[in-house]
Amino acid sequence: MSSVRVHNFSISLDGYGTGEGQSIDAPFGHAGMRLNEWAFGTRTFRDMLAPGEGGGSYGVDEAFASNWAEGIGVEIMGRNKFSPYRGPMDEAWQGWWGENPPFHTPVIVLTHHPRPPLELGGGNTFFFVDADAPTALAQARELAGDLDIRIGGGVDTVRQFLAADLIDRMHLVVVPIVLGRGENLWQGLEGIEARFDIESTPSPSGVTHLTFTRRA
């Protein structure tokens, strides 16, 4: 069976994956872009943000960042990753990524306010579903075939899949900042480390890459 994976998911030292006060002008709330600065210089993210321009690092951070797309057939994301707005969907909003988002697969967006599918360039089709984690995963497997499923975030979505024991591999990036408020990944997940073998890899950039692999 295909694996369920999390990649390049950044959290602060105190476990927050986004800050308080998300808005269209502040996608990560009061955290700003501090949780993701480690990635911006990598070859993978440079190519994602500015395709064809080249450049970017080839170090430890790139070695981890570059694993995010290989073998992925579907991404599952939460409403807050797709849109900063609450309530019924504004169908004029097409996400943060322009006409050709970086996923290049079907994307399932979890929301209590479904809307018709949104088809954009590059093989990106967004399906908006009101479903719990197991149901969404079953739908994703139908779309993905033999390929893996990526849980793309935000925090609440990753936490739901962890709580349901549905994640096989997870790559977290611990960024040396303390946020103090926002969405905490570990809320309600005491003892979850017992499910996984965990490896730690420090980076010269100051972050620490944690790899969680489900124990057999």
Side-chain angles (χ1 to χ4, degrees), residues 76-83 85-90 107-117 126-133 136 139 153 156-157 160-161:
I76 299 174
M77 69 171 63
R79 162 70 180 268
N80 289 1
K81 179 172 179 178
F82 179 79
S83 168
Y85 303 112
R86 304 296 182 266
M89 283 274 190
D90 177 0
V107 178
I108 291 177
V109 180
L110 302 180
T111 175
H112 295 306
H113 300 278
R115 55 177 277 190
F126 293 81
F127 298 92
F128 302 87
V129 301
D130 187 356
D132 60 13
Q139 294 181 22
D156 184 63
T157 299
Q160 286 182 49
F161 278 81

Side-chain angles (χ1 to χ4, degrees), residues 84-160:
Y85 303 112
R86 304 296 182 266
M89 283 274 190
D90 177 0
E91 294 187 16
W93 175 263
Q94 297 189 343
W96 303 93
W97 308 281
E99 291 294 325
N100 188 7
F103 311 108
H104 306 302
T105 67
V107 178
I108 291 177
V109 180
L110 302 180
T111 175
H112 295 306
H113 300 278
R115 55 177 277 190
L118 170 65
E119 186 172 347
L120 297 174
N124 294 279
T125 300
F126 293 81
F127 298 92
F128 302 87
V129 301
D130 187 356
D132 60 13
T135 303
L137 180 57
Q139 294 181 22
R141 290 197 192 281
E142 290 182 5
L143 292 169
D146 294 332
L147 296 175
D148 290 347
I149 314 299
R150 182 175 56 237
I151 309 303
V155 177
D156 184 63
T157 299
V158 175
R159 193 167 54 221
Q160 286 182 49

Side-chain angles (χ1 to χ4, degrees), residues 9 26 46 57 64 66 77 80 110 119 126 138 160 173 200 206-208 210 212:
F9 196 84
R46 287 281 294 272
S57 69
F64 280 95
S66 63
M77 69 171 63
N80 289 1
L110 302 180
E119 186 172 347
F126 293 81
Q160 286 182 49
V173 187
S200 173
V207 304
T208 300
L210 297 179
F212 293 66

Side-chain angles (χ1 to χ4, degrees), residues 202-214:
S203 168
S205 66
V207 304
T208 300
H209 297 274
L210 297 179
T211 303
F212 293 66
T213 305
R214 180 191 291 278

